[in-house]
Amino acid sequence: MPSSAAKSGLGNSRKHLGRKDLEAELERANQAGRISSAVSAGGGAPPRLEAAAGEAAAAAGREEATGAAEEMGERPAERQPVVPLAEYAGVTRERFLQEIYPLRKPAVLKGIELGPCTAKWTVDYLSQAVGDKEVKVHVSAGPQMDFLSKNFVYRTLPFDVFVKRAAEAKHREYFISEDEKYYLRSLGEDPRKDIADLRKQFPPLANDIWIPEYLEKERLFSTVFRISSAGIQLWTHYDVMDNFLIQVTGKKRVVLYSPRDAPYLYLSGSKSEVLDVDKPDLKRYPLFAQARRYECFLEAGEILFIPALWFHNVTSEEFGVGVNVFWKHLPAECYDKTDTYGNKDLPAALRAAQILDRALKTLDELPEEYKDFYGRRMVLRIQEKTYSSNYE
C-alpha cells in the first residue's frame, strides 16, 4: 500500500495541477517535447521523429474521435485500437537480456519450461499439498475489485477450503453472496516486515515451479503466489519493480498502459480511479479516452514481462493459479527499505513530490494572473528537465 507521503505527494499530483488549462498545457508540452527531442537527436533522429510524430497525430486523432463519439452518443473506448504485445518463443537468458529487456516494454514469453506445476497444480493437488494452512484472502460480491473504494472484504480461510471455493461458480457456504469471488495474493508471515516468498509460505509447492533464471539471484525481491476466481478483475495499478507474471493454470486478459499515459489515468497513489477499462465513464474521466491500450491474453504456461511503472489491469478469464516474480532492476539503495510489496514509490521521487507541494503552496501567495503564468512556466521546466523521448 502507498505510504502517507505517497498519497500526499505523487499520488495527488494531478489534483495539485487540477486546472483544465494547466492539464492541457502539460499535454501540449508533452507532445511538443517528444517531437522536439527527436529533432534534436541529429543523425539518428528520423525513425524516432517519425514515431514521435505518429504519437502526436494519434493523440490528435483520439481527441477528435472522442469528441465525435460523444456527440453521437457512442462510447469512444470502443473505437480505440488495441496494441498487441510482442510475443517471443523459447527465449534464452541471453536473448532476453540483449533483445527484450532493454526495450522496457511488456512482452509475452512462450515455450519456457516451468516444471511440473503446469500439470500438477489442480484443485485437488493444491488442496492436499498445502492442506489447512490459514490464508488471508479478498472476497468480493462483484467481479470488479476496487482498492480505492474497498468494495471487498478480507477473510481468513483454510487453504484447502479457499481453493475449492475459488474454483466454484456458486457456493453453498459464503460470506457475502453465493456467487462471490475470491482472490489470494500471498503475503509474508508478517506483511509489515516479511516479503512474499513461495518457498517459505508454501514449501510443498516450491519445487514444482521452475522460475526462469534470467537475472542474478541477488536481484530477486519476491515470489508472490496468486489464485483467482473466474471473472475477477483487479484494479489498474503500477509497481516500481520489474516482474514476471507466470500463468501456471487458467487464462488471464491483461490490459496495460504506458507510464507516459499517466496523465490520462486519473491516479490516486499507484492506482487508477478508472475501474472499468472496457466501458469507462468518459464524462467523469474524459482524458482516459486518450490512453493507448496494450493487451494480451495470457494462456497457461506463458509468462508476461511487465516492466516497472507500466500500468496493468488483470482479468481472470478462468479460475487460475499464477506466480509473480519481482526483482530489483535498480540499485538496492534506490528502493524504500520498508517496502514489502514492491509498490512504494522510490524515496527520491517522494522527496521531489514533497518539494513540488511546497513550491505550489508558495505560488498561492501570488495573484491569480501571476500564479497562472508561473505555474505554466513550472510545467514547461519540469517537461524540459525530466521528459524523455527514449521510451514509449
Side-chain angles (χ1 to χ4, degrees), residues 88-367:
Y88 302 86
V91 176
T92 62
R93 181 179 188 274
E94 291 71 23
R95 188 183 180 199
F96 178 76
L97 293 177
Q98 293 173 12
E99 298 181 23
I100 303 171
Y101 197 48
L103 297 178
R104 307 302 298 159
K105 294 182 68 175
V108 177
L109 311 181
K110 299 186 174 188
I112 296 173
E113 182 56 62
L114 297 176
C117 59
T118 53
K120 290 177 69 174
W121 284 7
T122 63
V123 172
D124 289 341
Y125 173 80
L126 292 171
S127 299
Q128 294 171 9
V130 180
D132 60 359
K133 169 188 171 71
E134 288 195 337
V135 289
K136 189 175 183 179
V137 300
H138 304 68
V139 184
S140 175
Q144 290 181 329
M145 293 180 61
D146 183 0
F147 193 86
L148 296 176
S149 69
K150 295 293 194 301
N151 65 345
F152 55 84
V153 295
Y154 293 105
R155 292 292 182 265
T156 300
L157 285 171
F159 180 86
D160 52 356
V161 174
F162 153 71
V163 73
K164 290 174 181 176
R165 286 199 196 180
E168 299 171 341
K170 299 286 185 181
H171 315 291
R172 285 185 294 180
E173 297 184 41
Y174 50 84
F175 296 107
I176 304 171
S177 64
E178 63 177 6
D179 56 354
E180 64 192 16
K181 305 291 185 181
Y182 291 81
Y183 168 60
L184 166 69
R185 191 265 192 219
S186 67
L187 305 170
E189 295 304 323
D190 183 346
R192 296 170 297 178
K193 299 185 297 182
D194 300 325
I195 293 165
D197 185 339
L198 185 67
R199 296 166 301 176
K200 294 180 179 179
Q201 283 93 49
F202 299 92
L205 306 178
N207 292 330
D208 291 344
I209 184 167
W210 303 345
I211 295 172
E213 296 182 353
Y214 288 160
L215 296 135
E216 299 86 352
K217 290 185 177 179
E218 57 268 21
R219 289 186 175 272
L220 181 67
F221 177 72
S222 64
T223 48
V224 181
F225 190 45
R226 298 183 189 269
I227 297 179
S228 306
S229 293
I232 205 162
Q233 184 178 26
L234 301 183
W235 52 89
T236 303
H237 69 284
Y238 68 87
D239 301 296
V240 298
M241 296 184 188
D242 289 349
N243 82 86
F244 283 144
L245 171 55
I246 302 174
Q247 190 64 24
V248 178
T249 69
K251 180 180 180 181
K252 283 188 170 70
R253 185 199 70 171
V254 187
V255 175
L256 304 104
Y257 299 97
S258 165
R260 274 87 223 150
D261 280 348
Y264 312 134
L265 299 182
Y266 297 86
L267 299 182
S268 178
S270 62
K271 301 160 187 69
S272 170
E273 294 178 8
V274 184
L275 183 60
D276 191 338
V277 297
D278 298 307
K279 296 180 180 179
D281 182 350
L282 293 179
K283 289 186 177 179
R284 186 175 182 184
Y285 307 115
L287 294 179
F288 183 75
Q290 298 183 46
R292 183 162 47 173
R293 175 183 178 129
Y294 294 75
E295 185 175 299
C296 74
F297 286 88
L298 202 61
E299 304 281 353
E302 296 179 348
I303 300 174
L304 174 60
F305 166 52
I306 307 177
L309 307 182
W310 274 79
F311 298 89
H312 43 286
N313 179 288
V314 181
T315 302
S316 295
E317 300 283 306
E318 306 166 347
F319 164 78
V321 183
V323 175
N324 264 125
V325 181
F326 289 87
W327 68 87
K328 297 180 178 180
H329 67 293
L330 300 177
E333 59 269 20
C334 292
Y335 298 96
D336 189 325
K337 292 181 174 58
T338 66
D339 185 4
T340 60
Y341 286 80
N343 62 6
K344 283 189 177 182
D345 286 312
L346 305 185
L350 291 177
R351 291 197 301 273
Q354 291 163 359
I355 292 169
L356 178 59
D357 282 348
R358 292 197 292 272
L360 292 171
K361 282 187 177 180
T362 303
L363 287 183
D364 285 337
E365 299 173 12
L366 297 172

